Amino acid sequence: MPKIKKVLIANRGEIALRIIRACRDMGIRTVAVYSTADRDAMHTQLADESVCIGPEGAKDSYLNESAILTAALLTNADAIHPGYGFLSERADFARKVEQHDMIWIGPSPDMIEQMGDKVNAKQTAKKCGLPVVPGSDGAIKSLNDALKWADKIGYPVMLKAAAGGGGRGIRAVNSREDMAEAYQVTKNEAQSGFGDDTLYMEKLLLHPRHIEFQILGDKHGNVVVFGERDCSMQRKNQKLMEECPAAILTQKQRDDMIEICKDAAKKMGYTNAGTFEFMFEDGKFYFLEMNTRLQVEHPVTEAVYGIDLVREQIRIAAGEKLGYNQSNIVPHGHAIEFRINAEDPKTFVPNPGKITLYAPSGGLGVRVDSAVYTGYTIPSNYDSMIAKLIVHAQNRPACIMRADRALEEFVIDGIKTTIPLQKKLLANSDVRQLKIDNHWLEEYLKKSE
């Protein structure tokens, strides 16, 4: 069994710091990589070693596979952890890591490739017994093909880029008259955004919730499911708040889906961390996609289940057995995560700049994952998320009360953040009474204009 002694973290910001901390807890040395824009970033200061991999643009640094591999080889790293975003779901990069005799901390390159293509992912999910949204059997080959499938499925439908992600390359089509324009625009978006204009089609659910199940699989055939998260609070397919567990589910719905997901992951031969994402409407689940990586919202699962998912990723990559089974996975309480973004809370326009005061909230049941500090200047080159506030309590009402206190305490001066909006959302009666769906936030924001 290979022993991991040094991990290169192919990422930045709070997730790079999160991985550094897990490695430190395990006695593993770390290598940070950084762009010139991140010279003063916290992850470069806390890692055992740091290597500059290029200029400020992501494509010249954090997406520069050759620079990252070179840094790993020069520092004698045993393994590479990609975090999320950037290269985390690039099968070709994962293969290169393994070809250079390093350990890839994540699912196999073949699995990343298989589940990264949305058409293949849906077909795989169907074969493995996961419930799927009614849709096209494979790719849409022409406008005429799109019209035929839409007639068969029934409007409204969604056109989606097969290679899509991050909420891009998706368009709703409400009628036959709208199809020609929507088809061409989505095809163009897919080509420019992902270099692949392949589209597929699904039935558009009108009031769905976004429910996802966290899985872990080792290299010995063992799989466990760490319950579910409700990620329905989103705007333009970007999540703003996440909860664990999904309080809207009955215990039977939860138990049934845990078994279905566990069985599917076993059939797939899935290893390492992954997430099955579903749309949930009228008591039914519909497979959406699979994320073959660690999720941004993994801390709420850690809070409720008392597990360090990054540590488990590293253990699995090193060939160790899980050491527990599904009967050992017991939830405790409720957790909510708030994504704190450096954005204007009214317009969502990014607001990078210098933080003049950073005073995160604390206390029992409060965790903050962040890599910013007083005096730090947020660069304009990357994602606007600068912190995650994770609150845990014995039940959802108590968690909401604690979250209200924690948001009130959280001080970030010098820039605009989404904290004022999140305070308002938490006070909203629909949010407190679970009367939301994937479209609720956008409707709320329209009314607030």
Side-chain angles (χ1 to χ4, degrees):
M1 186 182 296
K3 179 159 174 60
I4 297 175
K5 296 177 183 175
K6 187 187 286 190
V7 172
L8 181 137
I9 299 144
N11 218 300
R12 65 178 299 279
E14 61 85 18
I15 188 58
L17 210 58
R18 169 74 186 87
I19 298 164
I20 288 170
R21 286 170 172 156
C23 288
R24 283 257 174 101
D25 287 349
M26 300 174 77
I28 295 170
R29 291 179 63 80
T30 54
V31 180
V33 294
Y34 64 94
S35 72
T36 53
D38 276 337
R39 194 177 303 280
D40 299 322
M42 198 183 290
H43 75 284
T44 70
Q45 299 173 50
L46 291 189
D48 295 297
E49 300 172 64
S50 297
V51 180
C52 183
I53 50 168
E56 57 190 27
K59 72 179 180 63
D60 297 316
S61 52
Y62 298 106
L63 292 172
N64 187 334
E65 297 181 6
S66 297
I68 291 169
L69 287 168
T70 301
L73 293 169
L74 286 172
T75 55
N76 294 312
D78 307 302
I80 290 182
H81 195 309
Y84 46 70
F86 292 131
L87 298 171
S88 62
E89 291 180 285
R90 292 268 187 96
D92 63 330
F93 180 65
R95 284 196 185 95
K96 287 173 188 173
V97 170
E98 293 181 346
Q99 285 163 5
H100 284 83
D101 295 323
M102 287 180 284
I103 295 169
W104 170 254
I105 301 176
S108 71
D110 287 347
M111 188 58 65
I112 295 172
E113 196 163 65
Q114 185 178 340
M115 301 310 286
D117 181 296
K118 302 299 187 291
V119 173
N120 284 342
K122 186 176 176 182
Q123 291 170 343
T124 301
K126 205 170 179 179
K127 285 177 192 169
C128 293
L130 294 173
V132 300
V133 180
S136 58
D137 290 336
I140 300 289
K141 296 180 174 63
S142 65
L143 173 58
N144 195 41
D145 198 21
L147 289 165
K148 283 180 180 175
W149 273 112
D151 287 342
K152 184 177 179 180
I153 296 164
Y155 291 95
V157 296
M158 287 282 273
L159 281 171
K160 294 186 172 186
R168 294 181 298 158
I170 300 175
R171 194 161 301 272
V173 189
N174 294 308
S175 67
R176 226 173 187 275
E177 293 70 39
D178 299 335
M179 181 61 78
E181 183 184 354
Y183 176 78
Q184 199 54 55
V185 169
T186 313
K187 209 166 177 61
N188 292 343
E189 274 181 11
Q191 182 62 46
S192 63
F194 311 106
D196 180 353
D197 68 357
T198 306
L199 304 182
Y200 67 106
M201 186 183 292
E202 287 181 346
K203 175 70 178 171
L204 173 59
L205 302 175
L206 295 176
H207 300 288
R209 295 179 81 99
H210 184 126
I211 311 288
E212 57 188 37
F213 288 79
Q214 174 71 59
I215 66 164
L216 275 181
D218 65 21
K219 295 177 180 179
H220 306 273
N222 302 303
V223 173
V224 292
V225 181
F226 283 95
E228 81 290 348
R229 300 181 285 254
D230 188 336
C231 306
S232 305
M233 184 66 77
Q234 50 184 263
R235 170 187 168 271
K236 295 186 176 179
N237 298 295
Q238 297 295 316
K239 301 164 188 172
L240 200 65
M241 287 167 50
E242 301 100 354
E243 302 190 39
C244 177
I248 197 74
L249 300 185
T250 65
Q251 192 58 47
K252 184 177 187 323
Q253 287 170 332
R254 179 177 294 113
D255 292 343
D256 287 351
M257 283 306 295
I258 284 173
E259 283 305 310
I260 287 169
C261 290
K262 188 174 76 168
D263 188 52
K266 278 196 166 190
K267 285 176 181 172
M268 290 163 60
Y270 196 91
T271 59
N272 218 276
T275 301
F276 288 123
E277 299 198 357
F278 297 90
M279 293 291 100
F280 178 72
E281 186 172 271
D282 298 329
K284 293 181 181 177
F285 285 92
Y286 303 96
F287 176 78
L288 177 65
E289 64 180 349
M290 183 174 202
N291 281 307
T292 51
R293 55 168 169 79
L294 192 69
Q295 296 273 99
V296 175
E297 57 271 26
H298 76 273
V300 289
T301 299
E302 294 182 326
V304 169
Y305 287 90
I307 193 85
D308 183 334
L309 285 170
V310 177
R311 181 189 181 98
E312 293 305 286
Q313 281 192 293
I314 295 167
R315 287 183 59 246
I316 290 166
E320 294 183 33
K321 290 184 179 180
L322 286 176
Y324 44 86
N325 57 36
Q326 196 63 47
S327 64
N328 304 127
I329 311 302
V330 181
H332 295 283
H334 194 91
I336 304 175
E337 175 178 288
F338 302 84
R339 298 193 190 191
I340 311 298
N341 298 333
E343 295 173 353
D344 185 311
K346 293 180 180 176
T347 64
F348 296 94
V349 173
N351 192 238
K354 186 173 182 177
I355 295 175
T356 54
L357 176 62
Y358 177 73
S361 43
L364 183 66
V366 175
R367 164 179 166 184
V368 176
D369 282 14
S370 180
V372 303
Y373 51 86
T374 298
Y376 176 72
T377 299
I378 300 163
S380 60
N381 312 84
Y382 314 111
D383 186 84
S384 58
M385 189 179 75
I386 56 169
K388 299 186 309 198
L389 169 65
I390 305 100
V391 180
H392 180 238
Q394 66 267 34
N395 54 46
R396 190 172 187 266
C399 192
I400 287 172
M401 285 189 71
R402 182 166 284 168
D404 190 47
R405 184 265 294 173
L407 283 168
E408 194 62 44
E409 279 182 17
F410 211 136
V411 177
I412 306 177
D413 287 344
I415 58 164
K416 293 179 180 178
T417 75
T418 48
I419 290 175
L421 171 62
Q422 283 157 329
K423 286 182 189 174
K424 285 182 187 175
L425 293 176
L426 201 61
N428 187 279
S429 60
D430 283 353
V431 176
R432 293 191 171 219
Q433 295 168 29
L434 295 166
K435 295 178 180 177
I436 68 163
D437 58 31
N438 289 14
H439 311 302
W440 183 90
L441 181 55
E442 291 187 11
E443 292 300 317
Y444 169 85
L445 293 169
K446 280 179 191 172
K447 292 173 190 171
S448 305
E449 285 176 358

